[in-house]
Amino acid sequence: MKTRSGASSEKIVSPPKKKRKSEGSGIDVEPPNDVRDEGISSTLILREQSRKGKGKLGRLAGLLDLPIDVLFEIFGRLRPYELLKLARMTKEFRRMLMHRSSTTVWRSALESIPGLPPCPPEMTEPQWVNLVFDPHCHFCFTTGVRNAEWKLRVRICGKCAKEHMRDVHHLNIVETLIPHRPAKRYRREYLHQDFEKVRAQYEALKGEEERSAFVAQRGQYLQAVSKHAVLCEIWAKEQTQDRSIELQRMRDDRRAAIISKLTDLGWGFEIESIQYPECLEEHKLVNKPARLTDRVWKNIEQPMLEFMQKMRGERLRREHAALVIERKRTAIKILRAYKNGRLPCTELLPEPVDFCDFPPVKAILEKPSEVEVTEASFSDIVSTLPTMIEDWKRDVHQRLNVTIESRKFSQIFMPMGCPDYGDWEDDDDIPSMSEDEFQTKLNLATTVFQCRGCRNDYAGFSDYSDNSDDSDFGCLDVNLLFYPGVLGHTCLTRAQHSLWFSPYTASQKDDSTRLLYHSRNRTKWSSKYLYLDKVLSERAAAVIRAAGQDPKTATVQQMDTLDTYFACRDCLKYSRSSISPVFGWRDMIKHHAENHSLSATTPFTTMTAAEAESSRTEEEPDITLEPELGIASFADLMRRHSSTAKTPKVPKIYLCVQCRDLPEEREATSLTLMLEHLTRHDIEEPELNRHYYIQYGASPINDRLPVGTFVRFPLKSSTA
């Protein structure tokens, strides 16, 4: 039969209902009185009732056939958490262990835990065991909740805490009657269900006396809960510590057993040779709190043997690396002989680190361990050293070119006042330069480098990209670097000591990198600390123009040969006696950068050495005192500006030939200290370029007019 909609009108028959179990299969919560009175355990009745209507029994079902006193004796020897898990295993065990007649079993199990606080009177023993030992949330049953809230008598996860906990800043009368815990920002938290329960009890009381008595009762209860919670926290902390000790003991036993197994297999020497960062104790198969059985060892034996094979390879690499370091001492002797035979030092030469990295030298150093390497092993490369060094210098120039962007380079060294200076708004508009033009620009006296590794900023200098030429302050200390001497700047071959070191390189024993009297080690040549200083380049252009030269073509060598010296007119405004210090062109740039506004144009007075000598004076300038600025004497003025005082700065440009390229090598020092140092080598009459030499790239020494010379204005005409 069809309905109007076309659907079938057949009657839908529902499946037959399942038959209900007979009421006889249930259990009585309370056993009959006659059974209790006769002293027979009610568990017997529970056991008989639980067997009715059951099919195939499990493996532990045979326990139910044992006498009750025997069962309770067995259960009483279990730990509390084991007893709880047994009660949750089957319905039969649950009926037996959750019955009131099993209370003694639970108490006996709890007494086996040393130091555990007693079960609170408002909780049953199974509830107490569940709180103390079962790490699950009491609301959502999520596992892994390690910490119990002893005051609240629950375990609660973070997710459920947001739902079931309430936090307040000030507690009302009812909230003071329930357990609570500290929360964030000086607030308190409590369980909402505790609040509702106590509030209902409090509001059910009619009279004031009843409520006062209830408040007093709850106060005593909370005091008891707090004392009990303190005991629980102490016990839990001790349990955590004891557990950590036990786990560590298990790890130690497992490690000792594995080491014994590996030693029996012949790996004892390799185990003793393992070095940081490798560690057998931290291996994932060793550092486990589990006993090592024969079956477990059979499973992990192959991975452990592979690990020991790897450790053997690491040991061999360390030994070969140590041998290479030892061979470097021989290679350094070859380099020292080559460099000391080419004094004075007029060209850039490699440091031991770079020399040992030359492919022919490196091939000799890294020969197999069984090959003996002596000075004779390097005899074939001595004749090719000039070629290798020239190749290295070309690589140095290439790296310098990469560091300095040629597009910005072309704009930086367009002198101020040039019609095209600063007309480019974008880097893409700046014309590029050829390699020859780039080299020409490098040789200009307006090419001023600074070093990030040793500069001491006050306010002013930075990269061209920083556009800091509008600063009104100088720099505490300026180290002018010009090409090609800049290539030999110390910071380019020095690196800070590392806090960590690799056991494979053992850099602390590598004579090619080690320096005993420095805070830095040697490293391969790098230009990463160099940058072109636009502000100093502009000041250099001003000094060059004052000397009558063209900043576009004047080179460093040409400026060093000029018989032109400078006096700073800005300094004369402080002097009432018309006395001013005199500088060479390099020191004039340095003086201006350290003492005057970087954005101002400083006027210079130029003179020859003869004119300066004829007007030379030993008097200090009689300056205009400015006590409000802290200037009460000429010395104060010099200290204020960090300028060159009357005592000239002694150039530190001398190095020892005997210590060259050795770990004992020191930084460049003054001539006086160098002569004193040479006495330690038993050299009483030292000779330049034999026992000591001038550092490559050092500023030329001005013997006629040293730094710190003062002249009186107006200048006297020279009689020479």
Side-chain angles (χ1 to χ4, degrees), residues 537-551:
S537 299
E538 294 171 350
R539 298 300 169 261
V543 171
I544 293 170
R545 282 195 296 270
Q549 302 296 315
D550 185 0

Side-chain angles (χ1 to χ4, degrees), residues 448-462:
V448 185
F449 292 89
Q450 283 281 279
C451 174
R452 295 185 181 92
C454 62
R455 72 179 185 179
N456 184 9
D457 281 348
Y458 179 71
F461 294 107
S462 61

Side-chain angles (χ1 to χ4, degrees), residues 524-587:
K524 296 180 65 176
W525 192 95
S526 173
S527 59
K528 63 181 180 180
Y529 291 125
L530 290 180
Y531 69 96
L532 292 168
D533 197 301
K534 178 181 179 181
V535 178
L536 289 181
S537 299
E538 294 171 350
R539 298 300 169 261
V543 171
I544 293 170
R545 282 195 296 270
Q549 302 296 315
D550 185 0
K552 295 182 180 181
T553 58
T555 65
V556 176
Q557 291 75 14
Q558 291 173 351
M559 292 299 298
D560 286 337
T561 58
L562 288 180
D563 184 23
T564 303
Y565 295 88
F566 302 83
C568 178
R569 293 183 185 176
D570 276 356
C571 293
L572 287 174
K573 66 183 180 182
Y574 291 101
S575 176
R576 292 176 296 184
S577 57
S578 301
I579 296 177
S580 173
V582 178
F583 308 96
W585 75 280
R586 295 173 185 252
D587 293 322

